[in-house]
Amino acid sequence: MPIRNRIAEWQEELTAWRHDLHRHPELRWEETRTASLVAERLRGFGCDDVQEGIARTGVVAVLKGRGPGPVLGFRADMDALPITEATGVAHASTRRGRMHACGHDGHTTMLLAAMRYLAETRGFDGTVVALFQPAEEGGGGARAMVEAGVFDRYGVEAVYGMHNLPGLPAGQFAIRPGTMMAAADFFRLTLRGAGGHAAMPHQAADTNLAAASLVVALQSIASRSIDAQQPVVVSVTSMRSDSDTYNVLPDKVELKGTVRYMAPGLGARIHARMEEIAEGVARTHGVTARLRYKSGVAPTVNTAPEAEAAARAAETVSDAVSREAVPLMAGEDFSDMLAVRPGAFMFLGNGDSAELHNPAYDFNDAILPIGASWFAALAEGAGRPG
């Protein structure tokens, strides 16, 4: 029986697993219930080795096949987001202010289903190492797993991951060799001046006006400081002052935001330009500026042989596979795994759903067997040449 059809027989059970995870979302580094459930199921499937507490709240499981072969790592992320759900579904989050708004509940379920299938059939050569990762959402969970030594300890030779993608037709795969997703850096800019009465701004040093000018000036980085052929986004996402009334000019305004880019090395250039712009705008308005810039995740870059292997495996479980995926400016810490091993990251269409990180988002349960079958096909060598 084809992999997809066999796993599809478990649709109702897989949906129940996913709904349970969705009802009980856990933020980064807090995935204790999720990790415990994952480990319990993996042991029940008969995995050869299951380890908990990897990189604090991660889980690693090992399955050995019929004989010698490649050691492949498969990754699924487990954490939720600090968002209040607004889906209205029966399986909605029971924890206010926490929600699986990125589909990590679905990713976890798909890899669990793949491990169940592979444990039952053992129809593959080599070894599969399942990496159930904590803290993908800004916590550095992938880097923590790398630093915990899982790739060396288990001899992982290549690593694969997947993310659902709203707007892409349900069940359709998309990948490309090279850069799939952007780097993600973060910044905080603090402006300090002299507060005063809003009716007498000449007696103050207006941090609000300086902040407004700075928001606009920062856009010149992408439009004037970087080659127009290089994708760059500089977004100010928060602007907060220490005044909350209508007639007071604040002493301090704080801006927060994110920087996204595809080309390695651009982060340092953008950082330097932000320093120059902030200093110039602050001097113009008679205030001071302090920039704190944090490098986040690097661009997610697929190695060409593994990207092709991922596409070939996808073709065994779906009749819609694109090798020309449009890169996203979103960031993904799977890049930290690709920094130490060859591998590939793939998109799987979630259909016509709300966007990721939206309170109305929900994972499409219909694609659970498809994603699980892709992992299984990779293990069984569907993507390897010959």
Side-chain angles (χ1 to χ4, degrees):
M1 182 182 295
I3 298 169
R4 177 176 172 176
N5 291 341
R6 179 162 185 162
I7 296 177
E9 293 179 350
W10 306 336
Q11 176 73 64
E12 185 175 346
E13 189 174 4
L14 300 185
T15 299
W17 292 359
R18 207 277 297 181
H19 287 187
D20 178 67
L21 293 173
H22 193 90
R23 290 189 188 96
H24 303 93
E26 295 174 304
L27 302 181
R28 63 190 187 197
W29 304 125
E30 299 176 1
E31 308 93 334
T32 53
R33 179 186 186 274
T34 304
S36 178
L37 284 175
V38 165
E40 180 182 353
R41 288 207 167 91
L42 291 167
R43 292 189 179 102
F45 300 157
C47 290
D48 298 304
D49 184 28
V50 179
Q51 297 293 325
E52 297 180 70
I54 305 295
R56 293 167 60 177
T57 49
V59 179
V60 174
V62 177
L63 272 176
K64 296 186 181 297
R66 299 168 298 195
V71 182
L72 303 181
F74 296 155
R75 177 270 211 164
D77 37 19
M78 301 188 295
D79 56 324
L81 284 156
I83 294 174
T84 298
E85 184 162 351
T87 61
V89 296
H91 56 272
S93 171
T94 59
R95 300 177 176 179
R96 182 169 179 79
R98 301 180 183 186
M99 175 192 176
H100 272 295
C102 204
H104 295 185
D105 49 345
H107 303 163
T108 297
T109 300
M110 289 190 292
L111 185 51
L112 279 173
M115 294 298 282
R116 173 181 173 180
Y117 168 85
L118 293 169
E120 288 182 1
T121 60
R122 303 278 177 161
F124 65 98
D125 295 321
T127 303
V128 169
V129 181
L131 308 167
F132 291 88
Q133 179 202 310
E136 190 279 329
E137 297 290 357
R143 184 174 303 173
M145 294 198 85
V146 170
E147 292 174 349
V150 296
F151 287 88
D152 293 332
R153 185 188 316 169
Y154 297 102
V156 175
E157 298 169 18
V159 63
Y160 294 88
M162 178 203 302
H163 206 293
N164 77 95
L165 188 61
L168 189 68
Q172 179 172 322
F173 288 91
I175 197 169
R176 63 181 291 123
T179 304
M180 276 284 284
M181 299 182 74
D185 295 347
F186 305 92
F187 65 87
R188 178 181 297 180
L189 260 166
T190 304
L191 300 171
R192 295 184 183 274
H197 199 296
M200 293 172 278
H202 60 289
Q203 296 178 355
D206 190 352
T207 51
N208 272 340
L209 184 59
S213 299
L214 190 52
V215 170
V216 174
L218 289 174
Q219 301 313 305
S220 70
I221 295 175
S223 64
R224 291 297 180 269
S225 299
I226 305 296
D227 186 336
Q229 297 182 71
Q230 294 289 350
V232 171
V233 173
V234 179
S235 290
V236 176
T237 57
S238 173
M239 183 173 176
R240 178 175 296 180
S241 79
D242 59 1
S243 171
D244 62 356
T245 189
Y246 61 88
N247 62 350
V248 175
L249 297 175
D251 285 320
K252 182 179 77 171
V253 174
E254 185 175 79
L255 305 178
K256 294 180 182 178
T258 186
V259 174
R260 308 297 170 105
Y261 51 91
M262 294 288 186
L266 271 186
R269 291 176 56 191
I270 294 169
H271 182 187
R273 188 70 184 118
M274 289 183 73
E275 291 276 14
E276 295 169 352
I277 291 172
E279 182 181 347
V281 169
R283 188 182 304 115
T284 298
H285 290 276
V287 302
T288 63
R290 181 190 178 195
L291 172 65
R292 283 167 285 183
Y293 191 99
K294 179 183 178 183
S295 296
V297 298
T300 302
V301 183
N302 290 335
T303 48
E306 285 68 32
E308 178 60 22
R312 290 180 181 178
E315 287 172 337
T316 69
V317 298
S318 173
D319 56 6
V321 179
S322 171
R323 287 174 169 80
E324 300 178 352
V326 176
L328 295 186
M329 294 306 289
E332 167 58 63
D333 80 348
F334 188 73
S335 61
D336 288 321
M337 296 187 175
L338 291 176
V340 297
R341 291 294 187 275
F345 192 72
M346 198 162 205
F347 296 137
L348 174 59
N350 199 56
D352 185 19
S353 70
E355 292 299 319
L356 303 173
H357 293 210
N358 186 298
Y361 167 86
D362 194 19
F363 186 88
N364 186 345
D365 293 315
I367 68 173
L368 289 170
I370 301 173
S373 297
W374 176 73
F375 281 123
L378 276 168
E380 292 186 345
R384 293 195 290 274

